[in-house]
Structures are given as structure tokens and as C-alpha cells.
Amino acid sequence: QVQLVESGGGSVQAGGSLRLSCVASAYTYRRYCMGWFRQAPGREREGIATIDIYGRTSYADSVKGRFTISQDNAKNTLYLQMNSLNPEDTAMYYCAADPRTHCFGVYPANFDYWGQGTQVTVSS
């Protein structure tokens, strides 16, 4: 069973940066599409970014140019570098795994495995 553990969330002022990490089983990063999602209170879960086993990435328009998804296969770790944060980025952030080698969009329904989430709070 795939287990995902996020870390790196916290509180930051607008304009600041954070880097989220997600550690998973070794099998995952060499086989699965990986993604980052977020959910704010009262809102639906939103896809942010995905990366496939070939390193190809895709981003939601809301974070394009500000967030970067990457992975370190040697460390079995997925990252989300978040720059130029604003209060609208406040949410619980989740990493997730889609057990296919290619990614088919940032749709939560595509992803079978989820971490417990890490909170990001951006103050103005």
C-alpha cells in the first residue's frame, strides 16, 4: 500500500515562500504520476500541479509561474516550491499518487492515494 507523508507547511506573510515535501514508498516515484492538491474551508479540492515518471509537469493557472513541482527519486520525495504566496493560497495541501506512469490532468478523481495534508496559512 502506498503511504504518503507531507511536511513543510506553516504560516507566512504575503509575498513569502514555502517548500512542501512528500515522502512516499520507493516504488511510487518510479511508477506513478504524482500531484499536489489543496483545499480551503468550504471549497472543493483543487489540483495544483502534477509530475509524471518522465519529469513532465503541468500546473493550474492559479499557480503557474509561482509554484514548482519536482521530485528527487533518490530520496523518494516530492516537492512543491511555492513563491509569491498570497492569502488566497491559504489551504490544506495534499500530495497524491495516480498509479499510472502518465498524468491525465489535475483531477482529484484520478488519484488513488493521498497524504494526510499539511496546512499553509498566508497572512496579508
Side-chain angles (χ1 to χ4, degrees), residues 11-84:
S11 297
V12 64
Q13 289 190 329
S17 299
L18 283 173
R19 189 176 78 160
L20 307 183
S21 300
C22 173
V23 179
S25 56
Y27 183 84
T28 304
Y29 291 119
R30 300 187 183 95
R31 298 288 189 270
Y32 293 180
C33 162
M34 301 297 295
W36 284 101
F37 296 78
R38 66 185 180 188
Q39 188 167 19
R43 301 187 66 177
E44 293 186 353
R45 190 163 295 189
E46 175 191 14
I48 298 172
T50 62
I51 185 167
D52 68 13
I53 66 167
Y54 305 106
R56 296 175 299 195
T57 60
S58 65
Y59 296 91
D61 289 342
S62 59
V63 304
K64 199 171 293 184
R66 299 189 298 125
F67 291 10
T68 303
I69 187 172
S70 62
Q71 59 188 13
D72 185 333
N73 291 333
K75 296 182 179 180
N76 301 322
T77 303
L78 180 73
Y79 299 102
L80 184 68
Q81 177 67 44
M82 305 186 294
N83 299 329
S84 302

